[in-house]
């Protein structure tokens, strides 16, 4: 079956029945993923909310299918400058794999499912605009792997993060063995994976796993609110330049620095013909705030 943009929008709009600028225990009649674009001064920010309270946002078939659909919508939307990925389930970002589903699979089914899970996270990693993970609560196993697929991570002090798979007879299979050693020192990443250790948001910040840590508030939205603040800083900048910068970093960091310079040049030249580049220079000369249009 061919999934069209119109059919995806219809499904997501049916799910997004409430304005979701804050986390709420009262969200009802929505699917496992809620997608919402902010308006007004926050135009350009998209909110990607995990919402499977019964399973604690465990990564099962339904959640993954919804995530893949939302990934496709976001990728095609040139009006989105930054995405915030968070949870609508109090105390939980993502509890990792749905082991009840996993236990019923045979070996071949497990291998296929893990590949699908990894590819879904790669889709998030490869979204053209900056992404921010706001972690309020538990993010273990695949939950931390999901956060690691985002460009920026913000955690509440009380969050719990860890790659716990070796303690369950597994290894991180959705990119964790590759992303974590690229985020922090490989020796520290090895220790965290070998021990299945769970660390607090503060410890995660000290280790470099997250960019920012914030005290949790009474509504359990502290990480999300900080993420909105960072997103507001991002949306003041040129959308195409943001995408080009992300592409240059993501491609270049995997290469030698000399090859990385060529990637940077390619991305720079991609941005040269844009009206936004001209607007950026004019606004500086005219000493005014730039009005970027994304073209």
């Amino acid at each position: 079956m061919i999934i069209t943009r119109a059919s995806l929008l219809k499904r997501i709009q049916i799910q997004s029945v409430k304005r979701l600028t804050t986390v709420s225990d009262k969200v009802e009649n929505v699917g496992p993923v809620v997608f919402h674009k902010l308006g007004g001064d926050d135009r350009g920010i998209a909110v990607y909310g995990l919402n499977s309270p019964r399973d604690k946002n465990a990564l099962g078939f339904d959640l993954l299918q919804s995530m893949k659909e939302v990934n496709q919508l976001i990728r095609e939307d040139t009006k989105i400058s930054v995405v915030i990925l968070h949870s609508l389930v109090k105390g939980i970002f993502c509890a990792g794999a749905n082991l009840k589903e996993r236990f019923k699979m045979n070996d071949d089914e497990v291998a296929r499912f893990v590949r699908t899970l990894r590819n879904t996270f790669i889709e998030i990693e490869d979204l053209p605009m900056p992404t921010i993970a706001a972690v309020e609560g538990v993010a273990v196993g695949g939950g931390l792997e999901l956060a690691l697929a985002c460009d920026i991570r913000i955690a509440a002090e009380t969050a719990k993060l860890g790659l716990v798979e070796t303690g369950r007879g597994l290894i991180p299979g959705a990119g964790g063995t590759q992303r974590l050693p690229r985020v922090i020192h490989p020796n520290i990443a090895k220790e965290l994976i070998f021990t299945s250790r769970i660390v607090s948001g503060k410890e995660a910040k000290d280790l470099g796993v997250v960019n920012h840590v914030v005290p949790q508030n009474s509504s359990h939205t502290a990480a999300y609110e900080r993420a909105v603040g960072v997103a507001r800083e991002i949306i003041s900048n040129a959308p195409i330049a943001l995408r080009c910068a992300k592409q240059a970093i993501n491609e270049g960091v995997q290469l030698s620095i000399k090859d990385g310079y060529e990637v940077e040049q390619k991305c720079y030249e991609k941005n040269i013909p844009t009206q936004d580049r001209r607007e950026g220079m004019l606004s500086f000369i005219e000493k005014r705030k730039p009005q970027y249009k994304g073209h």
Side-chain angles (χ1 to χ4, degrees), residues 118-130:
R118 186 186 305 111
N119 288 341
T120 302
F121 289 3
I122 290 172
E123 289 175 359
I124 293 172
E125 182 178 52
D126 288 345
L127 287 173
M129 69 290 292

Side-chain angles (χ1 to χ4, degrees), residues 124-163:
I124 293 172
E125 182 178 52
D126 288 345
L127 287 173
M129 69 290 292
T131 54
I132 305 172
V135 182
E136 309 288 357
V138 174
V140 295
L144 178 52
E145 290 180 294
L146 174 57
L148 288 169
C150 294
D151 299 311
I152 297 169
R153 285 166 294 282
I154 299 172
E157 287 180 349
T158 53
K160 300 296 181 185
L161 306 94
L163 295 179

Side-chain angles (χ1 to χ4, degrees), residues 12-283:
I12 300 303
Q13 286 170 347
I14 290 172
Q15 293 173 358
S16 301
V17 295
K18 291 181 179 288
R19 181 172 178 83
L20 296 165
T21 54
T22 59
V23 179
S24 172
D25 294 327
K26 298 180 180 179
V27 176
E28 298 174 350
N29 301 320
V30 294
V33 175
V34 176
F35 175 63
H36 178 66
K37 293 195 291 184
L38 304 188
D41 292 340
D42 290 336
R43 187 177 303 277
I45 301 174
V47 179
Y48 188 144
L50 305 182
N51 186 50
S52 292
R54 181 179 299 177
D55 297 325
K56 298 181 179 179
N57 290 338
L59 297 160
F61 291 111
D62 290 344
L63 181 57
L64 277 188
Q65 181 58 36
S66 292
M67 290 176 71
K68 292 183 77 67
E69 292 173 0
V70 174
N71 292 347
Q72 182 177 331
L73 279 175
I74 293 172
R75 175 173 293 280
E76 295 175 354
D77 195 331
T78 58
K79 295 182 179 179
I80 296 175
S81 293
V82 60
V83 176
I84 298 173
L85 196 157
H86 75 137
S87 170
L88 295 166
V89 181
K90 185 177 179 180
I92 297 289
F93 177 73
C94 174
N98 188 325
L99 294 182
K100 292 180 181 179
E101 285 186 359
R102 186 78 58 87
F103 188 72
K104 297 175 183 178
M105 300 178 193
N106 61 38
D107 291 353
D108 289 340
E109 289 170 336
V110 170
R112 287 195 298 271
F113 181 83
V114 170
R115 184 175 294 277
T116 299
L117 177 61
R118 186 186 305 111
N119 288 341
T120 302
F121 289 3
I122 290 172
E123 289 175 359
I124 293 172
E125 182 178 52
D126 288 345
L127 287 173
M129 69 290 292
T131 54
I132 305 172
V135 182
E136 309 288 357
V138 174
V140 295
L144 178 52
E145 290 180 294
L146 174 57
L148 288 169
C150 294
D151 299 311
I152 297 169
R153 285 166 294 282
I154 299 172
E157 287 180 349
T158 53
K160 300 296 181 185
L161 306 94
L163 295 179
V164 299
E165 286 86 349
T166 58
R168 296 171 181 167
L170 306 165
I171 71 168
T177 63
Q178 302 306 303
R179 291 193 184 99
L180 189 60
R182 286 167 166 80
V183 169
I184 62 177
H185 194 286
N187 290 350
I188 303 301
K190 288 176 181 178
E191 180 177 344
L192 292 176
I193 291 171
F194 295 164
T195 61
S196 296
R197 185 177 302 148
I198 296 175
V199 300
S200 68
K202 185 179 183 306
E203 292 171 306
K205 173 63 170 66
D206 292 341
L207 292 171
V209 178
V210 301
N211 298 63
H212 305 281
V213 62
V214 291
Q216 188 55 283
N217 58 31
S218 59
S219 57
H220 296 270
T221 60
Y224 174 80
E225 290 175 10
R226 181 63 179 272
V228 171
V230 173
R232 285 171 177 159
E233 292 184 65
I234 291 173
I235 60 173
S236 66
N237 300 313
I240 297 176
L242 290 171
R243 293 178 181 226
C244 289
K246 176 170 176 174
Q247 182 183 357
I249 295 167
N250 283 1
E251 291 185 15
V253 76
Q254 302 178 55
L255 306 171
S256 70
I257 192 165
K258 289 187 177 180
D259 290 336
Y261 294 147
E262 294 305 312
V263 171
E264 182 179 79
Q265 181 68 21
K266 176 187 71 175
C267 293
Y268 196 99
E269 290 178 2
K270 185 177 178 180
N271 188 65
I272 288 174
T274 65
Q275 291 297 317
D276 280 352
R277 185 181 75 94
R278 179 175 174 80
E279 167 63 14
M281 293 187 293
L282 279 174
S283 63

